[in-house]
Amino acid sequence: MFKVITLTLAVAGAVSSAHADEGQWQPHQLPQLKSELKRIGITIPAEKLADLSKHPLNTMVSLGGCSASFVSNSGLAVTNHHCAYKAIQRNSTAEKNYISEGFLARTKAEELPAGPDAHMYITDKVENVTDQVLKGLTADMSGRARHEQVENRIKALIADCEQDKAYRCSVPSFHRGLEYYRIRQMMIRDVRLVYAPSDKIGNFGGEVDNFEWPRHTGDYSFLRAYVGKDGRPADPSADNVPYQSKDFLVVSAQGLKNGDPILLAGYPGRTSRYKLPAEIRFARDHSYPAKVAESKADIAVIQAASEGNKTAEVRYASVVKGINNGLKKTEGLLAGFARKDLAAIKDGQDADFRAWYKQHGDNKALLSELDAVIASDMALSEQETAWTIIHTGEMLKSARTLYRVAIESEKPDVERHADYQQRELSFIAGRLNRLEQSYLPNVDQARFTAALQRYNKLPEQAHPTGLDALLPAPESVVSLYQQSQLGNTATRLGWLNKNRAAFDASDDAFIRLAIKLHDTDMALENQRKEVDGNLERIIPQYMQAVIAWKKSIGKPVYPDANSTLRVTYGTVAPYTPRDGISKGPFTTVEGILEKDTGKAPFEAPVNLLASIKDKHYGIFKDKVLNTVPVNFLSTADTTGGNSGSAVLNKNGELVGLNFDSTYESITKDWYFDSAITRAIHVDIRYMLWVMSEVDHADNVLKEMTIKYPAK
């Protein structure tokens, strides 16, 4: 029998003493936070809030990288504009550019397919399977043997869970491998674009304002989930019908004020709150600067290759936006490390922990073993970064994926690498298909050529063993593209069904290159398994000790974010980023007038500007601000993946959408500083006002249940 939604002894009871808005809490931990939720003014019973089958958690949706929530019983979901950006870009052309013009389907028949790689995931079951994953593993196993044993057990648990093909299951680790939970999600495969404002609203301020405050961005859009007529997930089809969501969020236009409590639910991506000082220094001094340099170089190449070509600009809009977003965040992390010495703070915490452990720990070799496995992880990651650089272009990446599929397909499904099992093939096909809308040969050729040049300049110790002799010279890249047909979508997808012999007989230049690189790929993969297996043996012992130590000093204990459903809470609040500067919690539409220059990225739609000048605010005018609020700040603990997360008031009604953090907050991925950590949200009143006054999205407004202010 599985232990359903329970805590290990190490973690149980360790959350009741939290006194800040820190923590990305697993739903089953919420009953232990009753006093905290009551303290800030949340009226929803903690037991109800923790129940995946009840409102509001049963309205929350993962988009596989972003979050969303249902706002009608017909599968209508609201998320960020940037979370639907791929769907918007996919349906855009230079002649009909929904990115700049916006899109509104006035009937369901007009809704557009979000794309073959667009899915919605609804979490409905969480089981503690730690014993099933870890029981019987011995200390004398090699790292690789241990890792593969864990992988095999996880694959078996997933296969058992996915006997009903309506569901997608996963077994992520929590507390860096101390616990494992099996998570079942209904996976909806037919997702359609309903409405998105122009990027002059949805991305107002662009990269200039990204991670900045004050902010004036209407970062919202609407998608709809479709299923078969039997109500079960189905492949995209004209015969499908809207998904009948059991519950949905009521939208409240009654507004918030400074100090009001909020709840936020979604699927935060990754945090590193429990990493060691050495890991912070490695990120600060090595991996993050390398990532910044790589991102800037790749963006420059794409822009140069796309210049003056409207088709190329549209096709690569989503790619560039994604790279830019990661770049700005990484630069913010580095700025945060420079502003506050997080490594030194962690040094102090680590010293306190080690002193405590000397008195209470039972494995005297643990800390030296811990330092050794962390060092091996960092050393290998430099070579993995080099390997990633040479796969900057899509053609080599596609060839490598296709060849690996052919190799893994020779094995029984249960013995395949998890990324290439039968359950993954539709996702692989979706990614390969998507290149139809996000690939051009000349741009990809420029990216690959430049990537090889950057690889050649890396320090020799970062080069994987034997790789240099296998790589093409940058000047020979042109001929590779001339001798390959993988740029053709039908040809590319056709290789998914071919066996290894067909690849070995192929004269396609990129397939030949992928075959040459395969042994190096496997060597790196096996080294990673060895390192990960050792990490999975040592880190959980460390985490168990850290949890016991934190519990002893009354500190909150929650697992790092790992793309699973989490709930956080906080209050609407201003902040002081530096001495003498205080930033209020709300921005208003008047700020759009102040920022508008008539040129991107500060070019607002003419009709929006006219409505602001004429003060056509109607029921969306805040009585205190005397205008329409655009964005607001809260103390909620968020990170990447929380984009699109529902922001709820004390009664569980939708009052905003999370979409960003302040620049000073970015380092919260490593260290939560309650004084300056602020999340940025779209105020739902601005969204409703734009929909009503500017875009006249009356059909979408009518479909939602909206509580308006009393007149």
Side-chain angles (χ1 to χ4, degrees):
M1 294 294 291
F2 293 119
K3 295 179 290 181
V4 179
I5 312 184
T6 58
L7 288 168
T8 65
L9 291 175
V11 183
V15 298
S16 59
S17 58
H19 293 292
D21 299 337
E22 176 182 358
Q24 296 166 342
W25 303 98
Q26 292 172 270
H28 68 251
Q29 293 180 288
L30 295 174
Q32 299 175 64
L33 291 164
K34 281 183 181 180
S35 61
E36 283 295 286
L37 296 173
K38 183 178 180 179
R39 174 184 65 82
I40 68 168
I42 300 300
T43 63
I44 309 169
E47 288 77 12
K48 181 185 178 186
L49 191 58
D51 193 333
L52 299 176
S53 68
K54 289 186 170 60
H55 187 283
L57 287 194
N58 65 355
T59 71
M60 304 303 163
V61 178
S62 168
L63 301 178
C66 278
S67 304
S69 53
F70 289 122
V71 288
S72 87
N73 63 357
S74 294
L76 184 70
V78 64
T79 187
N80 287 158
H81 184 274
H82 75 262
C83 293
Y85 200 81
K86 283 186 178 180
I88 301 166
Q89 181 267 326
R90 178 186 187 277
N91 288 286
S92 295
T93 63
E95 296 73 31
K96 187 180 288 187
N97 191 338
Y98 295 131
I99 298 172
S100 60
E101 298 168 11
F103 172 78
L104 172 63
R106 297 199 176 276
T107 66
K108 291 183 178 65
E110 295 176 2
E111 294 172 2
L112 298 174
D117 54 350
H119 302 86
M120 288 190 187
Y121 303 88
I122 306 164
T123 302
D124 77 337
K125 192 174 184 180
V126 178
E127 303 166 296
N128 188 325
V129 294
T130 304
D131 286 348
Q132 286 74 20
V133 174
L134 299 180
K135 189 175 181 179
L137 297 176
T138 59
D140 60 351
M141 299 176 73
S142 71
R144 179 178 172 183
R146 190 186 195 284
H147 182 78
E148 289 179 344
Q149 182 72 273
V150 168
E151 275 195 330
N152 289 337
R153 292 177 178 185
I154 287 174
K155 286 190 288 187
L157 286 164
I158 289 173
D160 177 66
C161 182
E162 290 183 352
Q163 291 183 41
D164 185 337
K165 299 304 179 185
Y167 294 97
R168 176 83 171 176
C169 302
S170 61
V171 183
S173 72
F174 293 76
H175 296 292
R176 301 191 77 178
L178 179 61
E179 293 184 317
Y180 289 82
Y181 284 80
R182 182 167 70 174
I183 297 171
R184 189 177 79 166
Q185 297 177 308
M186 178 180 285
M187 183 177 74
I188 294 174
R189 306 191 296 274
D190 189 346
V191 179
R192 303 182 195 178
L193 180 64
V194 176
Y195 161 54
S198 162
D199 69 342
K200 297 174 183 178
I201 294 171
N203 192 33
F204 183 76
E207 292 307 316
V208 176
D209 268 7
N210 196 11
F211 292 109
E212 299 292 344
W213 186 261
R215 197 74 177 272
H216 300 83
T217 307
D219 199 347
Y220 72 88
S221 60
F222 289 83
L223 303 168
R224 193 184 305 278
Y226 279 80
V227 292
K229 292 180 179 178
D230 59 358
R232 290 171 58 81
D235 290 334
S237 168
D239 295 329
N240 287 346
V241 297
Y243 170 67
Q244 298 298 301
S245 39
K246 180 181 177 182
D247 279 313
F248 58 89
L249 295 176
V250 170
V251 177
S252 174
Q254 296 175 335
L256 296 169
K257 63 181 183 303
N258 186 25
D260 278 353
I262 61 101
L263 283 168
L264 188 148
Y267 291 80
R270 289 286 183 272
T271 53
S272 303
R273 303 264 173 89
Y274 298 100
K275 289 200 171 183
L276 279 72
E279 293 175 287
I280 289 184
R281 289 189 170 90
F282 181 75
R284 182 194 67 191
D285 301 336
H286 299 284
S287 61
Y288 284 168
K291 184 177 180 181
V292 166
E294 185 64 19
S295 297
K296 286 182 176 179
D298 195 24
I299 290 170
V301 171
I302 294 172
Q303 290 176 337
S306 304
E307 189 173 5
N309 184 334
K310 293 295 183 183
T311 297
E313 289 174 4
V314 170
R315 286 203 174 192
Y316 280 86
S318 181
V319 175
V320 171
K321 185 175 179 64
I323 299 171
N324 261 321
N325 192 58
L327 170 62
K328 187 70 177 281
K329 180 170 182 175
T330 308
E331 289 179 323
L333 283 162
L334 288 171
F337 289 155
R339 184 174 57 253
K340 178 172 285 191
D341 193 346
L342 298 190
I345 292 173
K346 288 282 187 176
D347 281 338
Q349 294 174 345
D350 188 56
D352 290 344
F353 164 73
R354 290 177 187 245
W356 176 89
Y357 190 78
K358 283 182 180 178
Q359 294 183 353
H360 300 89
D362 56 5
N363 179 1
K364 301 307 179 184
L366 175 63
L367 298 181
S368 59
E369 290 179 337
L370 174 69
D371 293 336
V373 296
I374 293 296
S376 66
D377 178 44
M378 294 186 297
L380 180 57
S381 69
E382 289 197 78
Q383 293 189 36
E384 291 170 328
T385 297
W387 179 255
T388 300
I389 289 173
I390 68 164
H391 288 83
T392 297
E394 296 295 342
M395 287 301 94
L396 177 55
K397 196 183 303 180
S398 296
R400 176 193 171 208
T401 297
L402 290 164
Y403 184 54
R404 186 67 182 273
V405 168
I407 291 172
E408 296 294 329
S409 295
E410 295 176 343
K411 308 172 187 175
D413 195 52
V414 70
E415 295 178 13
R416 298 178 191 176
H417 187 287
D419 292 343
Y420 299 92
Q421 288 186 289
Q422 190 66 35
R423 66 195 290 269
E424 298 294 335
L425 295 185
S426 64
F427 293 87
I428 292 172
R431 292 193 295 270
L432 294 170
N433 191 313
R434 179 168 167 69
L435 294 183
E436 178 77 21
Q437 288 82 32
S438 58
Y439 166 83
L440 284 173
N442 70 300
V443 179
D444 202 64
Q445 179 179 306
R447 294 180 76 192
F448 186 38
T449 300
L452 288 170
Q453 292 168 338
R454 295 194 299 273
Y455 170 85
N456 289 337
K457 295 177 182 178
L458 292 174
E460 188 174 339
Q461 68 269 19
H463 290 209
T465 303
L467 179 58
D468 293 17
L470 304 175
L471 292 174
E475 57 270 20
S476 68
V477 166
V478 174
S479 65
L480 292 178
Y481 283 82
Q482 292 171 343
Q483 297 170 44
S484 176
Q485 298 300 314
L486 291 184
N488 178 276
T489 300
T491 301
R492 190 167 59 249
L493 291 173
W495 278 100
L496 271 175
N497 301 314
K498 295 185 180 181
N499 59 25
R500 186 171 185 169
F503 280 82
D504 290 339
S506 173
D507 60 0
D508 185 285
F510 276 108
I511 288 176
R512 299 308 309 164
L513 180 58
I515 293 172
K516 281 175 64 178
L517 298 179
H518 180 70
D519 287 347
T520 302
D521 189 5
M522 291 300 95
L524 279 172
E525 186 174 296
N526 288 332
Q527 289 178 63
R528 172 47 61 190
K529 286 180 179 180
E530 180 68 23
V531 169
D532 282 353
N534 289 325
L535 289 168
E536 291 159 4
R537 177 175 55 86
I538 298 296
I539 295 290
Q541 298 176 56
Y542 165 71
M543 284 304 304
Q544 194 156 24
V546 166
I547 289 168
W549 169 63
K550 282 183 171 285
K551 183 180 176 182
S552 73
I553 58 176
K555 293 290 187 180
V557 179
Y558 52 88
D560 269 322
N562 61 355
S563 298
T564 60
L565 181 60
R566 303 294 180 92
V567 179
T568 183
Y569 57 86
T571 56
V572 178
Y575 78 117
T576 300
R578 56 188 63 88
D579 184 54
I581 296 176
S582 180
K583 297 191 177 185
F586 289 95
T587 59
T588 70
V589 291
E590 274 68 29
I592 298 174
L593 282 180
E594 293 174 3
K595 285 184 175 179
D596 181 73
T597 63
K599 297 181 180 179
F602 295 104
E603 180 185 11
V606 173
N607 54 349
L608 183 141
L609 295 173
S611 293
I612 298 172
K613 290 174 182 176
D614 294 339
K615 298 187 182 299
H616 287 171
Y617 301 150
I619 58 175
F620 303 110
K621 182 171 74 172
D622 183 278
K623 292 180 180 179
V624 175
L625 300 172
N626 203 35
T627 183
V628 179
V630 178
N631 299 147
F632 67 95
L633 299 173
S634 85
T635 60
D637 189 352
T638 63
T639 189
N642 273 127
S643 291
S645 292
V647 182
L648 310 177
N649 62 16
K650 64 181 181 180
N651 302 316
E653 298 160 340
L654 185 68
V655 291
L657 298 174
N658 184 74
F659 73 96
D660 209 349
S661 297
T662 58
Y663 197 68
E664 297 81 9
S665 300
I666 294 176
T667 48
K668 69 179 179 292
D669 280 4
W670 292 83
Y671 173 77
F672 188 91
D673 184 342
S674 60
I676 62 169
T677 296
R678 295 295 181 269
I680 304 176
H681 318 297
V682 180
D683 194 300
I684 214 72
R685 291 169 289 180
Y686 179 63
M687 183 184 87
L688 296 173
W689 178 73
V690 171
M691 293 172 70
S692 174
E693 179 70 25
V694 179
D695 286 344
H696 306 291
D698 302 325
N699 57 306
V700 184
L701 288 166
K702 185 177 179 180
E703 185 173 342
M704 295 187 289
T705 299
I706 304 172
K707 290 176 66 173
Y708 291 101
K711 294 184 179 179

